[in-house]
Amino acid sequence: MTSSVATSSAVPSRRLGIIGSIVGMLALMAAVLPHWIVPIVFPPAPTDQVIVDTGHRIKDRVIARVKGMEYQAPKVEKSAERSWSEASSVTAISLGLLAILLSVLALIFREERLLAAVAATLGTGAVAIEISFVVIGALILIAILYVVANIIGLF
């Protein structure tokens, strides 16, 4: 009465899910950390300096318009802060999309669903954070324009 039936409980692979989760976590870190670290490493210019520079540019434009000449804006070099911010945004979105792709591949190859879901969630979160920063910036710009237009009397 011995049964030689081999019962093999196949454990699903976890490779793509684990890689996707790690990539998703890196994407989330690339989306969040630079917004805290970049201002510490590259502090912004003092407010009074920004106001003075803006005043000089406005004065130069007015003088050019009065003289009937076309205003030539000076070439502004891309700051290190802006370069790092752009690079971190591109990295966060790329890694987020890669994490989502690895999650889909994990589901296609019938790997463990929990790890695939974690990878997809982390990747989606990283992309959503980057998009939310753009939307917040646009809303702030709209609010500033509305206040200026209200002061001028357009509304």
Side-chain angles (χ1 to χ4, degrees), residues 14-97:
R14 296 178 165 186
R15 184 176 30 176
L16 289 175
I18 291 173
I19 294 171
S21 297
I22 291 170
V23 169
M25 183 56 76
L26 290 174
L28 200 59
M29 287 178 5
V32 174
L33 287 181
H35 296 286
W36 292 328
I37 294 174
V38 170
I40 293 171
V41 175
F42 305 106
T47 306
D48 56 347
Q49 181 65 34
V50 173
I51 292 171
V52 169
D53 291 342
T54 305
H56 285 298
R57 282 187 298 209
I58 291 172
K59 181 183 79 170
D60 292 341
R61 284 185 186 204
V62 170
I63 290 172
R65 178 164 278 186
V66 168
K67 289 182 178 180
M69 299 170 42
E70 185 175 331
Y71 175 73
Q72 296 291 330
K75 297 287 180 182
V76 178
E77 292 183 19
K78 196 184 278 190
S79 66
E81 174 187 3
R82 187 170 178 179
S83 297
W84 277 96
S85 294
E86 288 175 0
S88 69
S89 280
V90 169
T91 302
I93 291 174
S94 299
L95 288 175
L97 293 175

XYZ file of all heavy atoms in Angstrom, residues 14-97:
639
model
N 9.756 33.923 -8.651
C 9.627 35.258 -8.081
C 10.607 36.243 -8.697
O 10.667 37.386 -8.288
C 9.886 35.211 -6.575
C 8.899 34.410 -5.811
C 9.284 34.398 -4.375
N 8.175 33.944 -3.561
C 8.184 33.940 -2.254
N 9.240 34.355 -1.608
N 7.149 33.511 -1.582
N 11.370 35.810 -9.663
C 12.473 36.611 -10.177
C 12.019 37.970 -10.727
O 12.502 39.007 -10.299
C 13.215 35.830 -11.249
C 14.424 36.540 -11.775
C 15.160 35.710 -12.753
N 14.214 34.842 -13.447
C 14.498 34.023 -14.422
N 15.723 33.962 -14.835
N 13.598 33.275 -14.997
N 11.095 37.988 -11.677
C 10.660 39.251 -12.274
C 9.936 40.142 -11.262
O 10.069 41.368 -11.293
C 9.760 38.992 -13.480
C 10.458 38.428 -14.715
C 9.445 38.095 -15.786
C 11.478 39.402 -15.241
N 9.171 39.534 -10.383
C 8.474 40.314 -9.365
C 9.430 40.993 -8.405
O 9.226 42.151 -8.025
N 10.474 40.281 -7.997
C 11.463 40.874 -7.090
C 12.245 41.973 -7.793
O 12.441 43.067 -7.232
C 12.404 39.774 -6.536
C 11.636 38.868 -5.584
C 13.619 40.398 -5.851
C 12.416 37.665 -5.107
N 12.669 41.720 -9.028
C 13.399 42.744 -9.781
C 12.504 43.963 -10.004
O 12.929 45.106 -9.846
C 13.911 42.177 -11.119
C 14.970 41.100 -10.862
C 14.484 43.283 -11.995
C 15.378 40.336 -12.102
N 11.246 43.722 -10.356
C 10.309 44.828 -10.558
C 10.080 45.621 -9.282
O 9.969 46.853 -9.319
N 10.013 44.941 -8.142
C 9.831 45.636 -6.867
C 11.046 46.489 -6.517
O 10.902 47.617 -6.028
C 9.564 44.630 -5.750
O 8.369 43.947 -5.994
N 12.234 45.977 -6.777
C 13.451 46.742 -6.507
C 13.517 47.961 -7.431
O 13.811 49.075 -6.982
C 14.702 45.846 -6.668
C 14.741 44.803 -5.549
C 15.974 46.685 -6.673
C 15.788 43.730 -5.729
N 13.216 47.761 -8.715
C 13.215 48.880 -9.658
C 12.144 49.898 -9.273
O 12.359 51.108 -9.342
C 13.026 48.366 -11.107
C 12.766 49.504 -12.068
C 14.235 47.566 -11.539
N 10.988 49.427 -8.840
C 9.922 50.328 -8.404
C 10.323 51.141 -7.187
O 10.006 52.333 -7.084
N 11.016 50.515 -6.251
C 11.483 51.245 -5.070
C 12.529 52.297 -5.464
O 12.508 53.425 -4.952
C 12.077 50.273 -4.040
C 12.509 50.959 -2.766
S 11.218 51.906 -1.949
C 10.264 50.624 -1.231
N 13.414 51.947 -6.393
C 14.383 52.931 -6.882
C 13.682 54.092 -7.588
O 14.076 55.250 -7.452
C 15.391 52.254 -7.824
C 16.380 51.292 -7.169
C 17.201 50.586 -8.234
C 17.276 52.024 -6.192
N 12.638 53.778 -8.341
C 11.871 54.826 -9.025
C 11.200 55.749 -8.023
O 11.202 56.977 -8.192
C 10.821 54.190 -9.946
N 10.648 55.179 -6.981
C 9.997 55.994 -5.951
C 11.014 56.881 -5.241
O 10.737 58.058 -4.969
C 9.286 55.076 -4.959
C 8.188 55.685 -4.122
C 7.094 56.259 -5.000
C 7.612 54.647 -3.186
N 12.194 56.343 -4.979
C 13.242 57.145 -4.347
C 13.713 58.248 -5.291
O 13.958 59.377 -4.856
C 14.411 56.255 -3.925
C 14.079 55.403 -2.727
S 15.344 54.254 -2.118
C 16.770 54.509 -3.031
N 13.818 57.941 -6.594
C 14.240 58.956 -7.568
C 13.179 60.030 -7.743
O 13.488 61.155 -8.132
C 14.544 58.303 -8.916
N 11.924 59.713 -7.457
C 10.852 60.697 -7.583
C 10.761 61.602 -6.366
O 10.436 62.785 -6.488
C 9.516 59.986 -7.798
N 11.059 61.090 -5.188
C 10.829 61.847 -3.957
C 12.093 62.526 -3.434
O 12.069 63.720 -3.109
C 10.235 60.922 -2.867
C 10.136 61.637 -1.548
C 8.861 60.419 -3.294
N 13.180 61.812 -3.331
C 14.375 62.336 -2.666
C 14.971 63.589 -3.304
O 15.381 64.488 -2.575
C 15.434 61.246 -2.549
C 15.142 60.168 -1.513
C 16.273 59.156 -1.474
C 14.928 60.753 -0.136
N 15.061 63.699 -4.627
C 15.687 64.909 -5.182
C 14.984 66.210 -4.812
O 15.610 67.265 -4.751
C 15.632 64.683 -6.693
C 15.632 63.216 -6.839
C 14.827 62.718 -5.669
N 13.702 66.167 -4.527
C 12.993 67.384 -4.161
C 13.398 67.862 -2.764
O 13.147 69.014 -2.412
C 11.480 67.162 -4.240
C 11.026 66.876 -5.628
N 10.960 67.855 -6.592
C 10.660 65.730 -6.241
C 10.545 67.323 -7.729
N 10.369 66.033 -7.539
N 14.021 67.014 -1.987
C 14.541 67.395 -0.680
C 16.045 67.615 -0.716
O 16.560 68.489 -0.035
C 14.237 66.326 0.358
C 12.792 66.180 0.688
C 11.845 67.163 0.683
C 12.123 64.998 1.073
N 10.632 66.639 1.033
C 10.770 65.310 1.279
C 12.526 63.691 1.266
C 9.825 64.383 1.670
C 11.591 62.755 1.654
C 10.261 63.106 1.854
N 16.757 66.825 -1.503
C 18.212 66.861 -1.491
C 18.775 67.986 -2.358
O 19.722 68.654 -1.957
C 18.779 65.492 -1.921
C 18.419 64.453 -0.867
C 20.280 65.558 -2.128
C 18.796 63.048 -1.225
N 18.216 68.205 -3.543
C 18.753 69.213 -4.460
C 18.761 70.611 -3.834
O 19.769 71.318 -3.942
C 17.999 69.180 -5.813
C 18.365 70.363 -6.677
C 18.312 67.879 -6.552
N 17.687 71.066 -3.157
C 17.776 72.396 -2.535
C 18.811 72.492 -1.417
O 19.304 73.582 -1.128
C 16.370 72.623 -1.967
C 15.486 71.735 -2.745
C 16.331 70.541 -3.090
N 19.151 71.375 -0.802
C 20.184 71.398 0.241
C 21.570 71.508 -0.387
O 22.412 72.273 0.061
C 20.076 70.147 1.131
C 18.775 70.181 1.932
C 21.276 70.043 2.068
C 18.481 68.899 2.672
N 21.796 70.750 -1.458
C 23.096 70.751 -2.114
C 23.309 72.042 -2.906
O 24.390 72.628 -2.890
C 23.230 69.516 -3.037
C 24.524 69.563 -3.824
C 23.158 68.237 -2.225
N 22.278 72.475 -3.638
C 22.338 73.692 -4.437
C 21.297 74.681 -3.899
O 20.174 74.732 -4.390
C 22.037 73.403 -5.911
C 22.922 72.357 -6.513
C 22.428 71.086 -6.771
C 24.240 72.627 -6.823
C 23.231 70.113 -7.335
C 25.049 71.663 -7.382
C 24.554 70.404 -7.642
N 21.658 75.473 -2.885
C 20.658 76.389 -2.309
C 20.206 77.426 -3.336
O 20.995 77.875 -4.157
C 21.391 77.041 -1.144
C 22.820 76.746 -1.329
C 22.952 75.592 -2.249
N 18.930 77.790 -3.294
C 18.430 78.778 -4.257
C 19.014 80.162 -3.980
O 19.470 80.459 -2.870
C 16.917 78.763 -4.032
C 16.725 78.189 -2.682
C 17.893 77.294 -2.418
N 18.975 80.996 -5.020
C 19.492 82.358 -4.879
C 18.621 83.134 -3.900
O 17.424 82.880 -3.793
C 19.494 83.044 -6.245
N 19.214 84.093 -3.191
C 18.419 84.905 -2.263
C 17.324 85.670 -3.014
O 17.490 86.043 -4.175
C 19.438 85.875 -1.656
C 20.773 85.308 -1.968
C 20.625 84.437 -3.163
N 16.230 85.894 -2.341
C 15.077 86.538 -2.963
C 15.410 87.932 -3.460
O 14.991 88.321 -4.561
C 13.919 86.609 -1.951
O 13.661 85.303 -1.445
C 12.667 87.158 -2.590
N 16.185 88.695 -2.696
C 16.508 90.046 -3.130
C 17.336 90.047 -4.412
O 17.162 90.904 -5.272
C 17.211 90.822 -2.019
C 18.470 90.133 -1.506
O 18.668 88.953 -1.829
O 19.243 90.790 -0.772
N 18.216 89.072 -4.575
C 19.014 88.963 -5.796
C 18.126 88.639 -6.995
O 18.305 89.194 -8.076
C 20.097 87.889 -5.631
C 20.988 87.741 -6.844
C 21.817 88.990 -7.099
O 22.233 89.667 -6.170
N 22.044 89.307 -8.361
N 17.151 87.760 -6.809
C 16.225 87.406 -7.888
C 15.400 88.626 -8.289
O 15.190 88.888 -9.482
C 15.313 86.238 -7.449
C 14.231 85.981 -8.481
C 16.130 84.984 -7.209
N 14.936 89.410 -7.300
C 14.137 90.601 -7.587
C 14.972 91.629 -8.342
O 14.506 92.239 -9.315
C 13.576 91.191 -6.277
C 12.538 90.235 -5.688
C 12.964 92.566 -6.511
C 12.073 90.597 -4.302
N 16.222 91.832 -7.950
C 17.095 92.793 -8.627
C 17.355 92.354 -10.062
O 17.288 93.175 -10.996
C 18.420 92.970 -7.843
C 19.452 93.734 -8.652
C 18.160 93.669 -6.524
N 17.653 91.073 -10.264
C 17.898 90.571 -11.622
C 16.668 90.723 -12.508
O 16.775 91.104 -13.676
C 18.332 89.106 -11.571
C 19.712 88.932 -10.964
O 20.471 89.925 -10.899
O 20.030 87.788 -10.566
N 15.497 90.430 -11.958
C 14.257 90.576 -12.719
C 14.016 92.037 -13.065
O 13.597 92.362 -14.187
C 13.068 90.014 -11.916
O 13.352 88.666 -11.566
C 11.791 90.073 -12.719
N 14.279 92.951 -12.132
C 14.138 94.382 -12.403
C 15.049 94.849 -13.519
O 14.642 95.640 -14.379
N 16.287 94.360 -13.530
C 17.227 94.740 -14.596
C 16.747 94.224 -15.953
O 16.858 94.935 -16.960
C 18.630 94.211 -14.294
C 19.340 94.979 -13.224
N 19.652 96.312 -13.334
C 19.790 94.595 -12.001
C 20.267 96.721 -12.242
N 20.363 95.688 -11.402
N 16.223 93.023 -15.985
C 15.722 92.489 -17.266
C 14.525 93.283 -17.764
O 14.406 93.558 -18.959
C 15.362 91.012 -17.123
C 16.586 90.104 -17.134
C 16.154 88.691 -17.153
N 15.399 88.480 -15.913
C 15.299 87.342 -15.273
N 15.840 86.277 -15.768
N 14.627 87.250 -14.150
N 13.619 93.645 -16.858
C 12.457 94.442 -17.252
C 12.914 95.810 -17.764
O 12.425 96.313 -18.780
C 11.473 94.584 -16.072
C 10.829 93.225 -15.780
C 10.405 95.624 -16.372
C 9.993 93.205 -14.514
N 13.878 96.426 -17.072
C 14.399 97.723 -17.494
C 15.031 97.627 -18.882
O 14.801 98.486 -19.746
C 15.424 98.222 -16.480
C 16.011 99.597 -16.831
C 17.066 100.011 -15.832
C 18.314 99.258 -16.199
N 19.509 99.677 -15.500
N 15.800 96.560 -19.124
C 16.426 96.385 -20.432
C 15.379 96.199 -21.531
O 15.535 96.710 -22.640
C 17.384 95.196 -20.411
C 18.602 95.448 -19.534
O 18.886 96.641 -19.245
O 19.264 94.464 -19.142
N 14.302 95.497 -21.241
C 13.230 95.325 -22.230
C 12.531 96.639 -22.539
O 12.231 96.938 -23.689
C 12.198 94.314 -21.732
C 12.658 92.903 -21.842
C 11.572 91.952 -21.445
N 12.130 90.611 -21.430
C 11.429 89.531 -21.572
N 10.127 89.598 -21.704
N 12.001 88.349 -21.568
N 12.258 97.412 -21.499
C 11.589 98.710 -21.701
C 12.482 99.629 -22.519
O 12.018 100.308 -23.451
C 11.210 99.337 -20.341
C 10.750 100.777 -20.510
C 10.138 98.513 -19.660
N 13.761 99.679 -22.214
C 14.694 100.531 -22.960
C 14.761 100.093 -24.415
O 14.748 100.934 -25.329
C 16.091 100.515 -22.300
C 16.046 101.253 -20.959
C 17.141 101.127 -23.208
C 17.314 101.141 -20.149
N 14.804 98.793 -24.660
C 14.847 98.292 -26.039
C 13.565 98.645 -26.782
O 13.605 99.020 -27.963
C 15.067 96.786 -26.047
N 12.431 98.569 -26.115
C 11.154 98.887 -26.763
C 11.065 100.382 -27.070
O 10.573 100.777 -28.122
C 9.989 98.464 -25.900
C 8.652 98.825 -26.549
C 7.542 98.119 -25.928
N 7.480 96.782 -26.522
C 6.526 95.924 -26.265
N 5.565 96.236 -25.438
N 6.517 94.746 -26.830
N 11.541 101.226 -26.147
C 11.504 102.675 -26.366
C 12.406 103.055 -27.540
O 12.054 103.916 -28.355
C 11.923 103.428 -25.079
C 12.189 104.900 -25.349
C 10.865 103.261 -24.018
N 13.549 102.405 -27.655
C 14.467 102.689 -28.758
C 13.985 102.074 -30.072
O 14.546 102.354 -31.116
C 15.860 102.150 -28.440
C 16.575 102.932 -27.359
C 17.970 102.374 -27.141
C 18.720 103.164 -26.106
N 20.068 102.625 -25.882
N 12.969 101.227 -30.011
C 12.457 100.597 -31.219
C 13.278 99.403 -31.665
O 13.179 98.960 -32.800
N 14.075 98.891 -30.781
C 14.915 97.733 -31.105
C 14.267 96.470 -30.560
O 13.402 96.520 -29.680
C 16.314 97.907 -30.484
C 17.055 99.118 -30.984
S 18.572 99.485 -30.064
C 19.306 97.916 -29.808
N 14.697 95.340 -31.092
C 14.203 94.063 -30.590
C 15.066 93.642 -29.407
O 16.296 93.701 -29.464
C 14.259 92.998 -31.681
C 13.645 91.692 -31.269
C 13.612 90.687 -32.400
O 13.545 91.107 -33.562
O 13.679 89.494 -32.104
N 14.422 93.236 -28.336
C 15.145 92.852 -27.128
C 15.798 91.498 -27.311
O 15.162 90.533 -27.737
C 14.193 92.828 -25.927
C 14.834 92.326 -24.659
C 15.749 93.102 -23.973
C 14.523 91.069 -24.149
C 16.338 92.653 -22.818
C 15.112 90.603 -22.991
C 16.018 91.405 -22.330
O 16.604 90.957 -21.190
N 17.063 91.426 -27.014
C 17.808 90.176 -27.076
C 18.073 89.710 -25.650
O 18.872 90.316 -24.939
C 19.135 90.361 -27.823
C 18.983 90.732 -29.278
C 18.417 89.586 -30.081
O 18.621 88.420 -29.767
N 17.681 89.916 -31.137
N 17.391 88.668 -25.261
C 17.582 88.141 -23.912
C 18.957 87.500 -23.805
O 19.406 86.823 -24.739
C 16.509 87.119 -23.592
N 19.632 87.716 -22.681
C 20.946 87.087 -22.519
C 20.807 85.575 -22.396
O 19.813 85.063 -21.883
C 21.482 87.702 -21.222
C 20.280 88.188 -20.495
C 19.266 88.528 -21.541
N 21.800 84.886 -22.906
C 21.802 83.424 -22.821
C 22.000 83.014 -21.369
O 22.936 83.451 -20.705
C 22.912 82.816 -23.674
C 22.766 83.095 -25.140
C 21.640 82.285 -25.706
C 21.514 82.571 -27.196
N 20.426 81.879 -27.797
N 21.095 82.190 -20.893
C 21.162 81.732 -19.509
C 21.617 80.284 -19.520
O 21.022 79.442 -20.200
C 19.785 81.860 -18.817
C 19.853 81.346 -17.397
C 19.316 83.299 -18.849
N 22.678 80.015 -18.790
C 23.167 78.641 -18.689
C 22.261 77.836 -17.775
O 21.703 78.347 -16.812
C 24.588 78.627 -18.132
C 25.618 79.210 -19.055
C 27.009 79.093 -18.481
O 27.221 78.255 -17.572
O 27.884 79.831 -18.919
N 22.140 76.571 -18.107
C 21.334 75.685 -17.271
C 22.097 75.417 -15.976
O 23.250 75.000 -15.994
C 21.096 74.373 -18.023
C 19.986 73.546 -17.427
C 19.841 72.224 -18.139
C 19.029 72.380 -19.391
N 18.680 71.064 -19.961
N 21.448 75.681 -14.859
C 22.110 75.512 -13.570
C 22.246 74.026 -13.235
O 21.533 73.180 -13.774
C 21.332 76.234 -12.472
O 20.084 75.604 -12.292
N 23.156 73.761 -12.330
C 23.362 72.375 -11.899
C 22.114 71.849 -11.199
O 21.755 70.677 -11.346
C 24.568 72.286 -10.974
N 21.423 72.730 -10.467
C 20.196 72.326 -9.779
C 19.142 71.869 -10.780
O 18.501 70.837 -10.600
C 19.663 73.494 -8.960
C 18.322 73.236 -8.322
C 17.746 74.468 -7.647
O 18.349 75.546 -7.723
O 16.674 74.331 -7.041
N 18.978 72.643 -11.845
C 17.981 72.290 -12.861
C 18.361 70.998 -13.580
O 17.509 70.166 -13.866
C 17.835 73.438 -13.845
C 16.728 73.236 -14.819
C 16.465 74.482 -15.615
N 15.427 74.218 -16.578
C 14.960 75.097 -17.408
N 15.443 76.318 -17.394
N 14.020 74.791 -18.257
N 19.646 70.824 -13.864
C 20.105 69.601 -14.527
C 19.808 68.371 -13.665
O 19.329 67.353 -14.172
C 21.602 69.675 -14.818
O 21.883 70.724 -15.701
N 20.105 68.472 -12.365
C 19.852 67.350 -11.465
C 18.359 67.067 -11.343
O 17.934 65.908 -11.303
C 20.447 67.624 -10.088
C 21.903 67.295 -10.021
C 22.938 68.162 -10.188
C 22.482 66.014 -9.808
N 24.122 67.494 -10.085
C 23.875 66.173 -9.844
C 21.958 64.748 -9.579
C 24.750 65.115 -9.669
C 22.838 63.689 -9.389
C 24.205 63.881 -9.440
N 17.554 68.121 -11.283
C 16.105 67.935 -11.161
C 15.532 67.261 -12.406
O 14.709 66.353 -12.305
C 15.415 69.278 -10.928
O 15.776 69.803 -9.692
N 15.967 67.721 -13.580
C 15.487 67.110 -14.816
C 15.940 65.657 -14.927
O 15.164 64.788 -15.336
C 15.970 67.911 -16.020
C 15.280 69.244 -16.174
C 15.849 70.072 -17.312
O 16.790 69.608 -17.990
O 15.341 71.183 -17.516
N 17.190 65.398 -14.569
C 17.704 64.026 -14.641
C 16.954 63.107 -13.682
O 16.626 61.961 -14.021
C 19.203 64.006 -14.341
N 16.644 63.604 -12.488
C 15.919 62.760 -11.531
C 14.485 62.511 -11.990
O 13.944 61.419 -11.780
C 15.929 63.394 -10.140
O 15.137 64.562 -10.124
N 13.864 63.496 -12.634
C 12.509 63.292 -13.153
C 12.493 62.240 -14.243
O 11.638 61.337 -14.238
C 11.944 64.597 -13.706
O 11.471 65.404 -12.693
N 13.420 62.353 -15.165
C 13.490 61.372 -16.258
C 13.795 59.984 -15.697
O 13.196 58.983 -16.114
C 14.553 61.802 -17.292
C 14.839 60.695 -18.282
C 14.095 63.055 -18.017
N 14.692 59.915 -14.733
C 15.039 58.629 -14.120
C 13.852 58.027 -13.395
O 13.577 56.823 -13.527
C 16.211 58.821 -13.140
O 17.320 59.373 -13.843
C 16.616 57.499 -12.510
N 13.129 58.831 -12.646
C 11.981 58.327 -11.894
C 10.902 57.787 -12.824
O 10.361 56.698 -12.595
C 11.416 59.420 -11.002
N 10.598 58.524 -13.873
C 9.556 58.070 -14.797
C 10.013 56.824 -15.549
O 9.242 55.874 -15.713
C 9.166 59.211 -15.758
C 8.432 60.302 -14.974
C 8.304 58.703 -16.903
C 8.119 61.535 -15.756
N 11.269 56.804 -15.975
C 11.778 55.630 -16.704
C 11.776 54.382 -15.825
O 11.338 53.311 -16.256
C 13.195 55.898 -17.214
O 13.209 56.985 -18.091
N 12.276 54.513 -14.602
C 12.297 53.360 -13.699
C 10.883 52.938 -13.309
O 10.605 51.742 -13.156
C 13.119 53.677 -12.445
C 14.627 53.758 -12.638
C 15.304 54.204 -11.352
C 15.186 52.431 -13.107
N 9.970 53.912 -13.158
C 8.584 53.579 -12.849
C 7.936 52.775 -13.973
O 7.248 51.779 -13.723
N 8.165 53.212 -15.200
C 7.607 52.466 -16.341
C 8.256 51.087 -16.473
O 7.584 50.113 -16.830
C 7.777 53.278 -17.623
C 6.947 54.558 -17.695
C 7.293 55.337 -18.961
C 5.465 54.250 -17.639
